[in-house]
Amino acid sequence: MKTGVLAVQGAFAEMSAYWRAKGADTFEIRQRRDLERDFDLLALPGGESTVQGKLLNDLGLFGPLKERIEHGLPVFAVCAGLILLADLFKLLPVTVKRNAYGRQLGSFTTVGMWDGHPGTKMTFIRAPAITSVAPNVEVLSTFNGQPTSVKWNNITAFTWHPELQLEKQNHKKY
Ligand code: GLN
């Protein structure tokens, strides 16, 4: 599998390492010509969604990426990536509240059920909350009764950081 990791800002190195550890070939998407390469999965890392959104526009990546996602390219999105899909691309029908757990002290780890896997460690870093989801969005995990990861058609998105638990868990799907 070939994974293109958006690498304009944020935790793209961790995301690349995660997919390499799963046996994927990875490359970084930094500019438009990187999209000439073939890839089967787009990984959107955590970071600052406002900065990432601005850079996507400035670098001319927004339109081409949106088109590919609309055409069914599988997407794996973490935190800021989820915010971009919901608020900027408008391709994920959920509403999000940014920095919902506070800014500086808003980072924490909890353990819970992810997609039927109990004991999954979930690290939240200045995470958004998903405050509502459209009817057909599948909820894969929750925290305090709110969805924290979702699946919608070709998109799987997390408010926490699965890529930071590399050695600890071995998700079957991701
Ligand atoms: N707080 C960031 C934002 O609003 C997201 C944090 C993250 O990606 N870990 O974009």
Side-chain angles (χ1 to χ4, degrees), residues 8 20 57 112:
V8 295
R20 273 198 305 276
N57 278 314

Side-chain angles (χ1 to χ4, degrees), residues 33-48:
R33 72 158 187 263
D34 296 327
L35 296 176
E36 287 161 18
R37 302 174 68 154
D38 271 337
F39 53 109
D40 326 287
L41 181 95
L42 171 67
L44 300 178
E48 274 306 318

Side-chain angles (χ1 to χ4, degrees), residues 95-159:
T95 51
V96 291
K97 180 170 182 278
R98 291 182 60 199
N99 301 309
Y101 307 96
R103 278 173 174 272
Q104 293 306 323
L105 301 172
S107 302
F108 60 96
T109 297
T110 181
V111 174
M113 176 88 87
W114 179 80
D115 197 25
H117 302 268
T120 302
K121 197 168 165 190
M122 302 172 183
T123 300
F124 294 79
I125 302 172
R126 297 186 308 283
I130 296 174
T131 51
S132 70
V133 300
N136 292 326
V137 173
E138 189 185 346
V139 174
L140 302 177
S141 62
T142 59
F143 176 70
N144 281 350
Q146 278 181 325
T148 55
S149 59
V150 292
K151 186 160 167 49
W152 166 255
N153 300 329
N154 49 319
I155 294 172
T156 305
F158 302 77
T159 63

